Amino acid sequence: MIDTLFSGLIHGSAYALVAVGMSLIFGVTNVANFAQGSIVAVGIMVAWWLGSSLGWGILPTVLVVIVVTGLLGLLMNTAVIAPLEGRKPIAALLATIGIGQILDNGLQLIFGPQTRPFPKLLPTYNLQLFDVRFGTSDVVMVLLTALLMLALWAFLKYGKTGQAIRATSQDPEAARQMGIPVKSIRNISFVIGSVLAGISGIFVGLFNANINPMNGGSIGMTAFVAATIGGLGSIPGAVVGGLVLGVVESLGISWLGDGAHDLITFGALLIILIIKPQGLLGPKTDVKSEPLTGTFLGGGRPITLPWWGNAALAALLLATPFFFSDYLAGVGTQVAIYAIAAVGLTLISGSAGQTILGMAGPLAAGAYASAILTTQLHWPFLAALPAAGIVAAIAASILTFPVWKLSGHYVAIATIGVGAVMVAIIRLWEPLTKGSLGIQGIPFPTIFGQVLYTQQMQYLLDIVVLLLALLVVMRIRSSHLGRVFEAVGSDQEAAQALSVRSSAYKSLAYALAAFFTGLAGALLAHQYTYIDPTIFTSSASVLILTIIVLGGMNSPLGAVLGSIILIGGPELLRIVPDARIIVYGLLLVLIILFRPQGLFARKG
């Protein structure tokens, strides 16, 4: 038990360092920085290179990591985040996701993706107390976390710049009128937050012993959960949240096994959001600004086509399977599947104005539902397909039912937890889902006795389902229900003043989006013929959201265009396969900066 608690304390200290940076940035800029984990990875890999290749010791390594990550934080804010000031904060959040993609895949390109031993910059496992072995690195980590938090507290409370940071956090406009250089203060906040993440990366490497360039992603997401548990914007809350989460994770994993990690982490997130949404030490005030809601389009309107234009596009899509090779048809199946999920997402993230960050959950629910129905209960494919959509919609609705009483960024954050919890339940429900082993032998789709065993046949099926999804979504958008969704998304307070139950309509829009995503998951399962939980990561959620950002969050046809570019695009970049994800991240950032309404939309 003591060794478990100690391990939790060490992990919690790392989470706290990263979470404090996140909370500081959020408090000053109202930006949820999803690139923070990537900065952790930068710290890990820079320290690895300095220690392994150059043989540097701990002190010069820490100094270089501070300089490198500090400069990255400054560049991130000045080049990308600051130009987005005045837009919906969801724009900055998505931009940080793009920056994270650039950094993560840039590190893989520079250092290679393989796992490697981290240099012994400090002794590890060289000490023992109460039969618990630990290292000098662990002691330094805990003490350094305490000292840095104390120094940051003193800086914010007594330092002139620190007081300016606090003033900017409370009211940027009032701070600007008092002569505080808000722009510089925001730069300083990003620098401090990034430096804390970089330092954390060094000790994560020492604790884990083996590292690779992708280690920062899970640390960053867990630290974001810790910051939310403590209270986004609260420095003491970030410390408490990090330590509490570290200990809870260690205890839970020791009792339930490694497979329960996500269930524990994101389950704790959901519980805190439902019981005390402002966090353990967050301010006891309602959210006035809703940084992860709003259509992000800034008045953008989807481009509409005449009926004959839609008919021509439908005919063109239906014709492509008869002209595509096996290879192109295989690419087309992926384009169509993700387009189906993205088309549904436009109802909630576009029309109803609520950003959803966890669609991997409904995607997994649909895939597993159809796989289980056809392999274990021997349902026909045509019955299992709609059933998979219904299962995904019901599961997502049940898990998010308590969430819709929340407001602002809390709903979007909760959907991250919902998606992760759905996948975690699938992993742990081994008698039904086979757990981490996955489900094999999923049959190809069969339509009226015809097995669709070729890529062209499956692509044609996907196109038909995509066209039906487009037809249904467009009919919903043009109906009274669609106009209510638009009213809620455009001005939630005005809609509520007219007795519109905005939370109920957002919940309905989310259920519809989950239904279409469940259909996409079912198609994916029957075309892969094998699925396991590793397919349904947060990257899938980000990809689906990025598709509608690219095409236009309020445009179903734009979702198809976005999928063609983001899913089919890799084949255009085969000459630079290692760099294509960097190109996607860069594309996402550029779209947000220069074409925020999306490619298939016009400014309002």
Side-chain angles (χ1 to χ4, degrees):
M1 178 63 74
I2 294 176
D3 58 336
T4 301
L5 291 173
F6 187 80
S7 175
L9 181 63
I10 299 301
H11 271 104
S13 297
Y15 297 155
L17 278 177
V18 185
V20 164
M22 285 183 164
S23 279
L24 179 64
I25 291 170
F26 185 88
V28 173
T29 66
N30 209 29
V31 172
N33 181 17
F34 274 66
Q36 193 81 340
S38 301
I39 301 293
V40 174
V42 170
I44 291 174
M45 298 312 300
V46 169
W48 169 82
W49 181 70
L50 293 175
S52 296
S53 301
L54 302 183
W56 285 20
I58 184 67
L59 289 179
T61 297
V62 169
L63 291 176
V64 172
V65 167
I66 287 173
V67 172
V68 171
T69 54
L71 288 174
L72 274 176
L74 179 63
L75 179 63
M76 185 192 313
N77 187 52
T78 55
V80 180
I81 306 303
L84 296 174
E85 185 178 356
R87 298 191 194 175
K88 293 284 185 182
I90 178 61
L93 179 146
L94 292 172
T96 65
I97 290 174
I99 293 169
Q101 289 179 318
I102 294 170
L103 291 176
D104 287 341
N105 291 276
L107 290 174
Q108 287 193 73
L109 197 62
I110 295 170
F111 296 106
Q114 68 272 16
T115 298
R116 67 211 77 191
F118 195 80
K120 302 293 184 181
L121 299 175
L122 286 172
T124 57
Y125 299 104
N126 60 317
L127 303 172
Q128 184 170 340
L129 183 65
F130 300 117
D131 295 326
V132 177
R133 294 198 62 83
F134 57 97
T136 302
S137 59
D138 300 325
V139 176
V140 172
M141 172 70 170
V142 174
L143 292 177
L144 182 63
T145 299
L147 289 173
L148 285 174
M149 296 306 100
L150 183 61
L152 183 60
W153 170 80
F155 169 70
L156 293 174
K157 185 171 180 63
Y158 299 110
K160 185 177 180 180
T161 301
Q163 292 172 352
I165 288 176
R166 289 166 55 202
T168 303
S169 175
Q170 292 173 6
D171 192 330
E173 289 304 318
R176 189 177 282 111
Q177 292 173 9
M178 293 295 293
I180 293 175
V182 172
K183 182 177 179 181
S184 298
I185 293 301
R186 287 176 170 167
N187 285 336
I188 292 170
S189 299
F190 265 90
V191 169
I192 293 174
S194 298
V195 165
L196 291 175
I199 293 173
S200 172
I202 298 174
F203 290 95
V204 168
L206 284 168
F207 185 83
N208 290 343
N210 295 300
I211 53 93
N212 67 63
M214 298 304 290
N215 282 152
S218 61
I219 293 288
M221 183 57 70
T222 306
F224 182 73
V225 172
T228 305
I229 289 173
L232 275 172
S234 169
I235 303 301
V239 176
V240 172
L243 295 176
V244 167
L245 186 59
V247 171
V248 169
E249 277 188 354
S250 291
L251 291 174
I253 290 172
S254 69
W255 294 334
L256 302 174
D258 289 338
H261 176 274
D262 285 353
L263 182 63
I264 295 165
T265 301
F266 293 99
L269 171 67
L270 289 176
I271 291 170
I272 286 291
L273 286 175
I274 292 167
I275 296 175
K276 192 174 172 58
Q278 70 272 19
L280 297 175
L281 298 180
K284 297 180 180 179
T285 56
D286 293 332
V287 177
K288 301 301 182 185
S289 172
E290 299 206 350
L292 303 190
T293 61
T295 58
F296 167 67
L297 301 170
R301 292 184 293 113
I303 295 172
T304 56
L305 300 177
W307 69 267
W308 54 267
N310 288 323
L313 283 177
L316 179 63
L317 284 173
L318 287 170
T320 52
F322 299 99
F323 297 96
F324 277 12
S325 64
D326 283 348
Y327 173 73
L328 287 178
V331 175
T333 60
Q334 299 300 304
V335 171
I337 285 171
Y338 279 95
I340 292 165
V343 165
L345 189 58
T346 61
L347 287 174
I348 176 65
S349 291
S351 296
Q354 177 63 63
T355 300
I356 302 295
L357 301 173
M359 293 308 288
L363 189 71
Y368 271 87
S370 190
I372 291 167
L373 288 173
T374 53
T375 59
Q376 298 183 25
L377 301 181
H378 307 292
W379 280 34
F381 171 77
L382 284 180
L385 178 62
I390 293 170
V391 167
I394 292 174
S397 298
I398 290 173
L399 287 174
T400 55
F401 175 74
V403 167
W404 298 108
K405 71 175 184 179
L406 306 175
S407 61
H409 55 275
Y410 298 125
V411 178
I413 293 170
T415 64
I416 299 175
V418 168
V421 165
M422 291 176 74
V423 176
I425 291 172
I426 288 171
R427 181 181 287 110
L428 292 173
W429 201 349
E430 292 186 7
L432 183 65
T433 66
K434 305 298 187 285
S436 298
L437 296 177
I439 298 178
Q440 301 178 358
I442 304 170
F444 287 127
T446 300
I447 307 294
F448 304 124
Q450 173 64 55
V451 178
L452 306 185
Y453 58 91
T454 69
Q455 295 285 5
Q456 287 89 347
M457 290 177 175
Q458 294 173 7
Y459 178 38
L460 180 60
L461 169 65
D462 295 340
I463 290 297
V464 171
V465 176
L466 173 58
L467 290 175
L468 290 173
L470 282 168
L471 177 62
V472 172
V473 169
M474 288 179 173
R475 290 294 298 270
I476 291 174
R477 286 173 52 83
S478 63
S479 68
H480 173 72
L481 178 60
R483 289 190 287 273
V484 175
F485 286 160
E486 292 283 354
V488 170
S490 299
D491 193 330
Q492 182 170 315
E493 292 184 0
Q496 289 175 334
L498 295 173
S499 300
V500 174
R501 297 175 58 193
S502 59
S503 61
Y505 279 100
K506 284 186 177 183
S507 177
L508 176 58
Y510 178 61
L512 291 170
F515 172 80
F516 288 108
T517 304
L519 295 183
L523 292 171
L524 182 147
H526 286 277
Q527 289 163 32
Y528 281 7
T529 70
Y530 166 77
I531 54 173
D532 67 58
T534 62
I535 298 172
F536 308 102
T537 64
S538 59
S539 297
S541 299
V542 171
L543 179 58
I544 296 170
L545 182 61
T546 304
I547 285 170
I548 66 169
V549 171
L550 181 61
M553 289 185 78
N554 214 15
S555 172
L557 288 177
V560 178
L561 176 62
S563 186
I564 291 171
I565 294 173
L566 282 178
I567 307 299
E571 305 312 317
L572 301 177
L573 297 169
R574 288 177 65 82
I575 55 173
V576 283
D578 294 330
R580 62 177 183 257
I581 304 300
I582 297 177
V583 175
Y584 295 155
L586 183 61
L587 179 62
L588 177 59
V589 172
L590 292 176
I591 285 291
I592 292 167
L593 285 172
F594 302 111
R595 183 77 180 177
Q597 70 271 26
L599 296 178
F600 205 75
R602 60 170 67 92
K603 290 184 178 180

